[in-house]
């Protein structure tokens, strides 16, 4: 959408979009400089189907909306963060779970 393109151009003067996403994922406002740990207990199959947002995706959504973006709701940002490997909410029994976690740990922050 043209508004999002304009928002990105305006925001690029403040720094790359990557920094905005990483700041939200790491919660750097709280001084954290790493990805949040994976969920302490692997989710059940029923729980996985309910994951549509997180505190980090809500924060990212709010930040991008303040910067003029549209179509960046918390659910969309959660899906984006999943696709980028920033969260791993695969069920522990899923064949992808461990590979996704190893890949997530290799994401460079900063």
């Amino acid at each position: 959408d043209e508004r999002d393109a304009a928002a990105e151009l305006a925001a690029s003067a403040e720094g790359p979009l990557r920094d905005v996403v990483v700041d939200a994922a790491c919660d750097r406002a709280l001084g954290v400089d790493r990805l949040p740990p994976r969920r302490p207990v692997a989710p059940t199959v029923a729980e996985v189907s309910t994951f549509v947002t997180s505190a980090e995706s809500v924060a990212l959504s709010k930040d991008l909306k303040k910067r003029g973006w549209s179509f960046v709701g918390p659910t969309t940002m959660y899906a984006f963060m999943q696709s980028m490997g920033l969260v791993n909410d695969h069920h522990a029994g899923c064949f992808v779970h461990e590979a996704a976690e190893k890949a997530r740990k290799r994401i460079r922050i900063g």
Side-chain angles (χ1 to χ4, degrees), residues 82-105:
Q82 283 177 314
S83 71
M84 297 303 296
L86 298 172
V87 294
N88 177 15
D89 53 15
H90 289 274
H91 180 268
C94 175
F95 72 97
V96 176
H97 179 80
E98 286 305 316
E101 188 60 24
K102 286 178 185 175
R104 193 181 76 81
K105 287 180 180 178

Side-chain angles (χ1 to χ4, degrees), residues 23-24 34 37 45 49 53 57 61 70 76 78 81 85 99 106 109:
D23 286 350
R34 64 188 182 287
V45 174
S49 66
T53 65
S57 71
S61 173
S70 55
T76 302
Y78 190 76
M81 293 169 78
R106 288 193 306 264
I109 303 300

Side-chain angles (χ1 to χ4, degrees), residues 29-49:
L30 298 177
V32 178
D33 199 25
R34 64 188 182 287
L35 289 175
R38 72 179 195 169
R39 297 178 189 276
V41 176
T44 65
V45 174
E47 288 173 325
V48 168
S49 66

Side-chain angles (χ1 to χ4, degrees), residues 17-29 32 63 67:
L17 180 60
R18 176 198 183 279
D19 292 348
V20 173
V21 173
V22 169
D23 286 350
C26 295
D27 204 356
R28 285 198 175 150
V32 178
D63 188 18
R67 295 169 185 260

